Amino acid sequence: MGPLVPDVIGNELNFIVAIFVGIAFGFVLEQAGFSSSKKLVGLFYGYDFTVLRVFFTGGLVAMIGVIILAHYGLLDMSLVYINPTFLWSAIVGGLIMGLGFVVGGFCPGTSVCAAAIGKIDAMIFIVGSFLGVLIFAEGYPVWEPLYKSANWGNVRIFDTMGMSQAAFATLLTVMAMGAFWAVRLVENKVNKITDYNVFNNKKYIWLTGFACLLGIAAFLLPDRKEVLMNEATLVPSSHLQEMEITSDELAFRIIDKERDLFIYDLRSQKDFEKISLPNSTRITLQSLFEKDTQKLLGVSKRMNIFISDNESEACKAAYVAQRLGFKGVSYLKGGFMQFNKDIITYSETQPTDNTVSIDTRRFRADAVKAFVEIIKESKAKSANSGNKASKRVLGGC
Amino acid sequence: MNKTEYMNPYFAGVLLGLVLLATIYITGRGLGASGAVKSAVVASVESTAPGHTADAKFYKEYKTEHPESPLKNWLVFEVIGVVIGAFISGLISNRLKFKLDYSPKSSSKIRIAGALVGGALFGFGAQLGRGCTSGAALSGMAVLSTGGIITMMAIFGGAYMFAYFFRKLWL
């Protein structure tokens, strides 16, 4: 599951990746013609819309790719860098960059590209941008209030606009198609080309139709996450009985110090802090779709046990985990409440029903003593271990 | 094939999108450019006036975010790659040449001044807007970041707004 850094690719190797990414980036920009300021600013005077075509196509391809990867659980979006939103600095900064674009004829990426093939104006632009950053750094206290005002956090546009991701992506794609068509008309008018018919190429129409169809399909198909969550609520627990584990079995395995035992606790943070079992970690149902939890679940030959207050949450989690393809999944029958009653606070004087055998009662009487120590140890351990959750990648310029 | 012809823009766009997608999948972050300039600025100031970087707030904040050397930065390596990649592209398409591009109605002096001022504005704006056309607009669009998309609209909207006043530079 992506991102591959830092687990599959280490942080140092990531710098080598950066060079290769840069080579590909620079190559494509230069091939597209972004090393010429005349071509770049053509966008703003209507004679050459190359920038819009390349930029919009690139953005769409990446956006759709990201959505698809996340949809199939191949990319954990909670770890991907989402540019933070600071409303006013984004607007004012953007306008200043727009002014810089028409005055200087480049943007930072394209200027590097153009300088690499010998454009002197681009080299001067880079010197200029160096000065611009220096001015920003030196006068930082002056613009800091603007820089930090209206912090909306790492919000995403479809949430801001209150629509689904697929709906927004479809809308953006349709807008791009419209823009591609419109800019051709503008370009022809400005450049006084009259014999060019936008619709003369059947291939483009087929491609556009196909793209629209894909967009609509994506819009109609529900998210895999939603599907699994819905299924989990509908599956009758009788279907999941083979994944059950009883309080006694779990207690026995814990006392036996089985090393492959791992417990996922779905109770609230407060309850978890109060009392937790050894080798357990607190999760939420949602986190089953995140990289950290999946990493734990994926350890081979591990016995993954879900527990919750009563069994229903754990049951759902076990179902989802199994459907996600993880092995050795089970859930605690009767939930933590039952476990508490059967083991942790077991008392022989408690009236027990006759289904509990003499052997079980004897086991529980021993277990209750052992668990006093076990719980104490587990508490000390969890207090010592810090939170090791993976963090969002720090990106941006 | 004409050696100096540019690639079909849609094809180039698809390639650009795939590069960006691969970057996000592998590293969890997008592309960028202006961040490398920032690293260079911080590194230069650090080496010429180390006392100043210890005092001024901007450098202190930078230091807490990037405890390592400012040049040991992902974007610095990426931009080194951009230089190599663009050079290779220029080489195979026969476009390597020292040249100052300017409109026939303009002059080389005006172009140099424009590039310098434009660069400064862009550098400043990219700091304020937390990223440039690559880091905020393109990468922001790919992950559907609200801030990235607002910055993108502001960059292009601003450019259209001001374009009329600078038409003599280009047309």
Side-chain angles (χ1 to χ4, degrees):
Chain A
M1 189 179 203
L4 302 183
V5 175
D7 301 323
V8 183
I9 292 173
N11 281 320
E12 301 290 316
L13 185 60
N14 196 8
F15 290 123
I16 309 296
V17 171
I19 293 184
F20 282 103
V21 163
I23 291 174
F25 186 33
F27 185 86
V28 174
L29 287 184
E30 209 289 325
Q31 280 295 307
F34 282 24
S35 54
S36 151
S37 56
K38 196 167 158 43
K39 214 168 167 60
L40 289 169
V41 295
L43 169 67
F44 308 117
Y45 299 100
Y47 61 80
D48 189 338
F49 283 96
T50 305
V51 174
L52 180 131
R53 296 194 180 97
V54 178
F55 186 92
F56 232 151
T57 312
L60 286 180
V61 167
M63 172 194 78
I64 293 168
V66 166
I67 293 174
I68 291 172
L69 289 179
H71 183 87
Y72 289 105
L74 296 170
L75 183 65
D76 184 353
M77 284 312 284
S78 70
L79 299 180
V80 169
Y81 177 75
I82 310 284
N83 312 52
T85 304
F86 289 78
L87 183 64
W88 294 111
S89 66
I91 293 175
V92 177
L95 291 176
I96 294 172
M97 285 189 260
L99 179 61
F101 213 152
V102 286
V103 174
F106 288 111
C107 62
T110 51
S111 69
V112 172
C113 222
I117 65 157
K119 294 286 169 72
I120 295 161
D121 43 339
M123 296 172 196
I124 296 165
F125 185 95
I126 295 174
V127 174
S129 61
F130 188 93
L131 295 176
V133 176
L134 191 65
I135 293 167
F136 184 87
E138 293 305 320
Y140 186 59
V142 181
W143 11 90
E144 196 188 347
L146 174 64
Y147 182 66
K148 288 184 177 163
S149 69
N151 180 1
W152 293 1
N154 304 82
V155 285
R156 305 186 68 194
I157 186 79
F158 47 89
D159 288 330
T160 311
M161 294 176 68
M163 57 206 302
S164 80
Q165 175 172 266
F168 183 83
T170 311
L171 185 73
L172 199 65
T173 312
V174 171
M175 272 166 60
M177 299 288 169
F180 294 150
W181 173 69
V183 298
R184 170 61 79 194
L185 294 182
V186 174
E187 224 172 54
N188 289 347
K189 199 159 186 193
V190 171
N191 297 333
K192 303 192 174 63
I193 298 170
T194 47
D195 59 344
Y196 188 91
N197 180 3
V198 180
F199 290 111
N200 71 346
N201 197 331
K202 281 237 169 68
K203 200 168 68 187
Y204 288 155
I205 296 171
W206 279 111
L207 271 175
T208 312
F210 183 64
C212 289
L213 213 66
L214 273 183
I216 292 164
F219 185 49
L220 294 175
L221 286 174
D223 202 28
R224 175 152 186 244
K225 191 162 151 182
E226 276 166 41
V227 172
L228 281 181
M229 289 293 220
N230 278 337
E231 276 180 20
T233 39
L234 295 175
V235 171
S237 53
S238 57
H239 280 218
L240 300 167
Q241 261 165 10
E242 60 198 46
M243 288 201 285
E244 257 176 21
I245 177 170
T246 63
S247 304
D248 296 305
E249 188 187 344
L250 181 63
F252 179 78
R253 286 175 185 274
I254 290 174
I255 293 168
D256 203 28
K257 294 206 162 76
E258 281 190 17
R259 290 174 66 200
D260 298 329
L261 195 72
F262 204 86
I263 297 166
Y264 303 84
D265 201 324
L266 290 141
R267 294 174 304 147
S268 69
Q269 182 71 37
K270 214 172 114 198
D271 290 345
F272 182 74
E273 275 164 18
K274 213 186 283 171
I275 184 166
S276 67
L277 299 177
N279 247 347
S280 68
T281 182
R282 207 189 80 80
I283 62 157
T284 59
L285 260 181
Q286 288 292 324
S287 71
L288 285 174
F289 298 92
E290 287 167 12
K291 200 176 169 184
D292 278 343
T293 310
Q294 297 203 353
K295 222 157 63 186
L296 292 173
L297 281 163
V299 175
S300 68
K301 290 186 191 155
R302 184 173 259 186
M303 189 166 178
N304 295 306
I305 299 169
F306 291 96
I307 64 173
S308 56
D309 276 324
N310 53 47
E311 64 178 28
S312 73
E313 281 274 296
C315 200
K316 272 186 219 166
Y319 175 78
V320 172
Q322 198 191 38
R323 283 295 309 270
L324 286 172
F326 293 105
K327 301 275 187 303
V329 176
S330 48
Y331 69 92
L332 178 62
K333 189 185 174 190
F336 194 80
M337 270 158 26
Q338 188 72 33
F339 190 83
N340 200 31
K341 188 169 147 244
D342 285 350
I343 310 291
I344 299 174
T345 59
Y346 179 76
S347 122
E348 281 174 88
T349 53
Q350 213 173 66
T352 30
D353 54 283
N354 293 330
T355 51
V356 181
S357 68
I358 299 272
D359 284 343
T360 310
R361 274 188 246 168
R362 199 175 293 146
F363 167 72
R364 287 181 183 178
D366 288 339
V368 71
K369 284 175 219 146
F371 262 85
V372 174
E373 273 307 302
I374 288 171
I375 299 281
K376 218 189 272 169
E377 253 173 59
S378 152
K379 197 164 189 174
K381 225 179 192 174
S382 66
N384 282 333
S385 68
N387 200 354
K388 277 195 299 185
S390 300
K391 283 207 190 85
R392 220 180 247 283
V393 180
L394 193 72
C397 279
Chain B
M1 188 185 126
N2 185 348
K3 269 295 187 189
T4 51
E5 212 168 73
Y6 291 119
M7 194 184 269
N8 175 303
Y10 298 110
F11 183 60
V14 171
L15 289 184
L16 177 63
L18 293 177
V19 171
L20 179 54
L21 180 61
T23 310
I24 294 173
Y25 179 71
I26 296 170
T27 69
R29 50 159 305 144
L31 299 165
S34 58
V37 180
K38 178 155 112 184
S39 297
V41 169
V42 174
S44 322
V45 177
E46 219 171 60
S47 59
T48 50
H52 180 59
T53 48
D55 285 345
K57 200 165 179 204
F58 179 82
Y59 303 102
K60 273 200 277 189
E61 283 190 12
Y62 185 88
K63 199 76 196 164
T64 45
E65 275 175 46
H66 309 83
E68 291 190 80
S69 154
L71 291 180
K72 196 181 174 188
N73 179 298
W74 196 88
L75 284 172
V76 171
F77 286 86
E78 187 232 59
V79 167
I80 292 170
V82 170
V83 173
I84 301 169
F87 184 83
I88 296 171
S89 164
L91 189 70
I92 61 173
S93 294
N94 203 14
R95 279 194 286 265
L96 292 181
K97 196 180 168 192
F98 279 109
K99 195 177 158 199
L100 186 71
D101 272 347
Y102 57 92
S103 158
K105 287 186 202 151
S106 180
S107 73
S108 62
K109 273 187 196 140
I110 291 175
R111 178 69 188 116
I112 288 170
L116 193 69
V117 174
L121 286 166
F122 223 121
F124 183 91
Q127 285 315 303
L128 190 58
R130 293 179 172 75
C132 57
T133 342
S134 328
L138 184 64
S139 306
M141 180 175 165
V143 295
L144 294 174
S145 146
T146 303
I149 290 173
I150 291 174
T151 309
M152 173 179 83
M153 293 195 297
I155 294 174
F156 291 107
Y160 274 108
M161 228 162 70
F162 299 120
Y164 178 79
F165 306 103
F166 297 96
R167 63 190 185 284
K168 295 237 168 75
L169 290 180
W170 307 106
L171 295 177

